[in-house]
Amino acid sequence: MLTRKRMRLIAVTMAAVALTALAVDWISRRLGDESTFTGIVLLLATSSLYLLSIRKRIVTYRVGPVAAWLQWHVYAGTFTSLVFLMHIRWPVRGPFELCLAGCFIFVAVSGFALGVLSRLTPLRLSALRQEHALEQIPALQYAVAEQAHRVALSSTKLGEGATLSEYYQRRLLPYFQTQRSWLYRLLPTGGRRRQLLLELADLDRYLASSGLDCRQQLSTIVQSKDDLDYQLALQSRLRWLFKVHAALTWSLVILIAVHVALVLGFSGKLL
């Protein structure tokens, strides 16, 4: 939702980009070196993005809430990405230039994705029946699998228990004892859950009242397992994306330092 504060911040960011573009055009018309200007602006803006990492490590002094620094990081990152498009020369040539441009693009894209997911993930988790910490989920998955196994064993004592026990061995046992695919962890969906619940519901015509009770328990456990898998996918995806973004960010620091040294060296200003 676009609040008035967010709209003002977007307007300020776009105004800063427009002023930078006007300055680039003014320098270019006077046969100046617009690459040096955009490079300096880009270096200063990129350096300001690392203030968030520094702020997270400061706990003894009051330098503003982390949320405010995070907001600065988001809008400064947007400004930096747009200035980067002004600075880079198309097409990009040379292995080092390609590596630097690729790293910058990956940092920008991962940062954008991280910003979107950090807003969507809490909303999706709050929609579940119960929310758990990431570290608790593996133990809860094991407990749910054990519960399903006990229900399946108890169903064998029933007259029609072979129906449920056979289905458990064939379909539910792999579901409870194996991890979800990497595709599911990237894009979690409820397709498998719906399929299993429909298959379990189709067994009702073969079951008596006692068998129906076991079937309903298994259906509830399937939903609990899917909720845990969903939470694990959402939270681990956000954590791994943050790790990738942080690793690429510090790799970008090294590449920028080398780039600046090369530019100064070729221009004779390094000595």
Side-chain angles (χ1 to χ4, degrees):
M1 182 179 179
L2 287 178
T3 61
R4 290 185 177 180
K5 181 180 179 181
R6 189 172 299 172
M7 291 179 66
R8 286 197 300 267
L9 291 172
I10 292 174
V12 170
T13 304
M14 291 300 103
V17 173
L19 289 174
T20 305
L22 289 174
V24 169
D25 182 68
W26 184 84
I27 294 172
S28 177
R29 288 177 182 274
R30 283 153 182 77
L31 302 179
D33 189 0
E34 67 272 14
S35 295
T36 300
F37 171 74
T38 54
I40 294 173
V41 173
L42 194 57
L43 182 61
L44 294 174
T46 304
S47 300
S48 72
L49 297 177
Y50 295 91
L51 295 175
L52 177 62
S53 298
I54 298 173
R55 170 60 185 88
K56 288 181 178 180
R57 290 169 172 80
I58 298 176
V59 294
T60 56
Y61 300 99
R62 294 183 179 181
V63 287
V66 175
W69 288 90
L70 178 60
Q71 198 169 53
W72 163 263
H73 186 85
V74 170
Y75 290 103
T78 303
F79 171 78
T80 304
S81 300
L82 295 175
V83 174
F84 170 76
L85 297 177
M86 302 180 199
H87 178 71
I88 195 169
R89 297 182 182 275
W90 303 97
V92 181
R93 293 187 176 90
F96 179 77
E97 288 77 8
L98 286 171
C99 183
L100 176 58
C103 186
F104 196 101
I105 291 171
F106 275 117
V107 169
V109 171
S110 63
F112 176 78
L114 194 60
V116 172
L117 291 179
S118 63
R119 293 182 179 276
L120 293 180
T121 298
L123 294 177
R124 292 180 177 180
L125 291 175
S126 63
L128 299 175
R129 290 175 295 179
Q130 190 173 4
E131 186 176 346
H132 304 283
L134 180 62
E135 292 75 14
Q136 298 174 336
I137 294 177
L140 293 172
Q141 288 175 323
Y142 178 80
V144 165
E146 287 294 307
Q147 184 183 3
H149 187 68
R150 288 194 298 269
V151 173
L153 284 179
S154 66
S155 71
T156 59
K157 301 176 183 178
L158 306 175
E160 70 282 5
T163 301
L164 281 176
S165 60
E166 186 276 333
Y167 180 79
Y168 171 80
Q169 289 284 342
R170 180 171 53 87
R171 294 286 289 156
L172 295 184
L173 189 61
Y175 173 71
F176 285 109
Q177 294 192 348
T178 58
Q179 294 292 331
R180 292 295 186 96
S181 65
W182 283 105
L183 180 61
Y184 177 86
R185 295 189 181 189
L186 289 175
L187 298 170
T189 63
R192 191 175 183 185
R193 165 182 174 164
R194 290 190 293 269
Q195 182 181 3
L196 291 175
L197 291 178
L198 285 174
E199 292 174 0
L200 281 168
D202 287 340
L203 299 178
D204 287 357
R205 51 186 170 177
Y206 305 111
L207 304 174
S209 58
S210 55
L212 288 174
D213 182 61
C214 287
R215 197 279 299 168
Q216 291 171 356
Q217 291 183 55
L218 286 175
S219 295
T220 301
I221 298 171
V222 165
Q223 295 179 60
S224 299
K225 170 66 163 57
D226 186 77
D227 285 346
L228 292 172
D229 290 345
Y230 187 67
Q231 292 187 52
L232 180 65
L234 291 180
Q235 295 186 50
S236 60
R237 181 178 65 180
L238 192 62
R239 176 173 293 187
W240 278 106
L241 184 58
F242 174 78
K243 290 181 178 180
V244 170
H245 182 70
L248 289 173
T249 297
W250 291 109
S251 300
L252 185 61
V253 171
I254 299 173
L255 292 174
I256 289 175
V258 174
H259 175 68
V260 171
L262 289 174
V263 170
L264 294 177
F266 280 116
S267 63
K269 298 177 181 179
L270 188 60
L271 298 178

